[in-house]
Amino acid sequence: MRKLHVFLSSGLGALTSIAPTISALLLLSTQEFGAFAFLYAAFALGWSVCLSVVCDAFLRAVSCRGTWAEYSSTLVGLSTVIALVAVVVALFIYPDVLSAVLASGAIGFAIYRLGARFFRSLEFSAASVLWVDACNLSVFLAVLFSAMAIGVDHLMAHSAAWVIAGVASMIISPPLLSNPFKALLVWCRLRWGTIRTLLSDSIIMDCGAIVGPLLLLPGLSVQGFGIYRGVSSVASPAQLLLEPIRPNLARMSYARRTDVKLLVGVCGTGLVMSGACFIALLSISHFQLVQGTLAALSAFAVPCSIFVFTNFLGHFYYLLSRAHSSANRIRAGRFVQTVLVMACPLVGAALFGLSGAIWGFVGATMLSSVTWASLTLTSLGE
């Protein structure tokens, strides 16, 4: 039953996380989706900061984690700061003020929901978050379709559905507020050593993910660059399955996370996803199901499928390392990964063009995965 709850938590959590993006792809025009995608990148960056400042800092502080009141007040403070920054950005890229404010509010509520979900799953169980996820997804879809049915503009309907779903989740899992901004400052001061390590890791990771690909742009055509970036997108479903169970990974004992059976299970899951990716891309090519980036990626079905496997393995052990490894090990893993993902594609592109860049990226991901796995499996119970 516990394994079933973890499986359901992973699947439902992934659906909840991906629903705003998939619905935006299906409903919004190219221009509208551009505005959404820009702000969604701000949400991803804000969630990365929240993980380092609040969530992962909380789970690593075993002896002084703090109460739900302290945690939730801090979470509200940080979510509010991120939403305020997001609204400044949104006002420049959204066509009207209301849509910008709604979308920015949605970011704040979404970060609160994910942070609260993290706490509940860590302190209780995977089953305890299922009903919150179900509520969020149901409200999002109900509001979205209802708004569209009465003729509300698609971008406005999407923003409204996203924010109302976040409000519903917050009502179900309400914070115990004191002074959220004071709580945020106190939280950071008490845990600054841990936060500094995690935040520096996140910043370097985000910079590597942005700067590395941009270095390839002069050597590749715009179309080639789009295909190259599309390779990383094929691994998104695998990562989404892992993100909802981060707290469950944090509870793993040293004996459990170094068990050979776990490694075999992770590799087996990665192989299944890799095979599914390979079959899907070949089917798209053979039956000409879609055009555009996915159709172009079908010519690189082999490296894409290898990437899905290595990325899943590496992301799994990276999450374990964030929860259990020492600061030095996290820095070492991040340094190796950043150097690899920047250097290997550049060398590959210089020698063999787009194909070389893609294979270089796959090779870098493979070596990074081995690095994170070795750092975690030899952590000696840190």
Side-chain angles (χ1 to χ4, degrees):
M1 184 61 69
R2 181 177 174 274
K3 291 181 179 180
L4 176 61
H5 286 157
V6 172
F7 176 78
L8 292 175
S9 175
S10 175
L12 189 56
L15 285 175
T16 305
S17 297
I18 204 172
T21 305
I22 295 299
S23 58
L25 277 170
L26 295 174
L27 298 174
L28 303 183
S29 67
T30 304
Q31 184 176 356
E32 290 173 334
F33 184 78
F36 165 79
F38 196 89
L39 204 61
Y40 194 84
F43 159 70
L45 184 60
W47 174 232
S48 177
V49 170
C50 183
L51 282 169
S52 296
V53 174
V54 181
C55 303
D56 287 344
F58 173 76
L59 72 85
R60 288 176 67 90
V62 178
S63 59
C64 57
R65 279 181 172 170
T67 63
W68 167 243
E70 295 169 328
Y71 181 97
S72 60
S73 295
T74 303
L75 185 59
V76 169
L78 184 60
S79 301
T80 304
V81 170
I82 293 171
L84 291 174
V85 174
V87 76
V88 174
V89 176
L91 288 172
F92 288 98
I93 60 174
Y94 269 64
D96 59 87
V97 174
L98 182 57
S99 291
V101 172
L102 286 174
S104 304
I107 287 177
F109 282 113
I111 289 175
Y112 173 82
R113 179 186 70 82
L114 290 171
R117 184 188 193 283
F118 189 98
F119 180 96
R120 190 171 185 86
S121 184
L122 181 67
E123 293 296 282
F124 300 102
S125 66
S128 66
V129 300
L130 289 175
W131 58 291
V132 182
D133 288 341
C135 173
N136 182 273
L137 184 60
S138 301
V139 171
F140 176 81
L141 294 176
V143 174
L144 180 62
F145 290 129
S146 298
M148 289 174 55
I150 62 175
V152 177
D153 172 76
H154 284 179
L155 185 60
M156 180 76 74
H158 187 272
S159 299
W162 199 12
V163 72
I164 292 174
V167 172
S169 298
M170 193 172 193
I171 292 173
I172 294 175
S173 183
L176 297 176
L177 284 178
S178 53
N179 185 326
F181 299 109
K182 181 180 179 181
L184 177 60
L185 292 175
V186 172
W187 180 279
C188 291
R189 186 172 66 248
L190 293 176
R191 298 164 177 82
W192 180 243
T194 300
I195 291 172
R196 181 176 55 191
T197 297
L198 297 172
L199 197 57
S200 62
D201 171 57
S202 294
I203 291 172
I204 295 172
M205 177 181 65
D206 294 334
C207 288
I210 296 170
V211 175
L214 289 178
L215 294 176
L216 290 168
L217 187 56
L220 301 176
S221 65
V222 175
Q223 181 181 8
F225 183 75
I227 295 172
Y228 173 79
R229 292 299 292 153
V231 174
S232 61
S233 298
V234 300
S236 296
Q239 289 191 355
L240 284 171
L241 285 175
L242 288 174
E243 285 297 324
I245 58 172
R246 286 180 77 128
N248 304 91
L249 299 180
R251 286 200 297 265
M252 278 190 180
S253 64
Y254 174 68
R256 174 65 178 137
R257 63 181 186 266
T258 55
D259 190 352
V260 175
K261 291 181 180 179
L262 179 65
L263 178 59
V264 171
V266 173
C267 289
T269 304
L271 286 173
V272 170
M273 294 182 176
S274 175
C277 173
F278 184 75
I279 294 171
L281 289 177
L282 286 186
S283 299
I284 287 171
S285 175
H286 182 74
F287 297 105
Q288 298 182 345
L289 299 176
V290 295
Q291 300 298 318
T293 304
L294 274 179
L297 282 174
S298 62
F300 301 97
V302 173
C304 282
S305 58
I306 296 174
F307 175 75
V308 168
F309 170 74
T310 56
N311 182 267
F312 182 79
L313 180 68
H315 195 61
F316 178 85
Y317 280 105
Y318 167 66
L319 295 182
L320 279 180
S321 187
R322 286 267 295 189
H324 300 286
S325 296
S326 67
N328 288 335
R329 286 177 178 269
I330 294 175
R331 292 192 190 101
R334 178 54 53 210
F335 174 78
V336 170
Q337 182 171 8
T338 302
V339 170
L340 287 172
V341 298
M342 295 182 74
C344 292
L346 280 172
V347 173
L351 295 176
F352 304 106
L354 175 60
S355 179
I358 290 175
W359 278 106
F361 184 43
V362 172
T365 306
M366 185 182 300
L367 293 174
S368 299
S369 300
V370 172
T371 300
W372 285 117
S374 62
L375 287 171
T376 304
L377 295 175
T378 59
S379 61
L380 300 178
E382 293 173 342

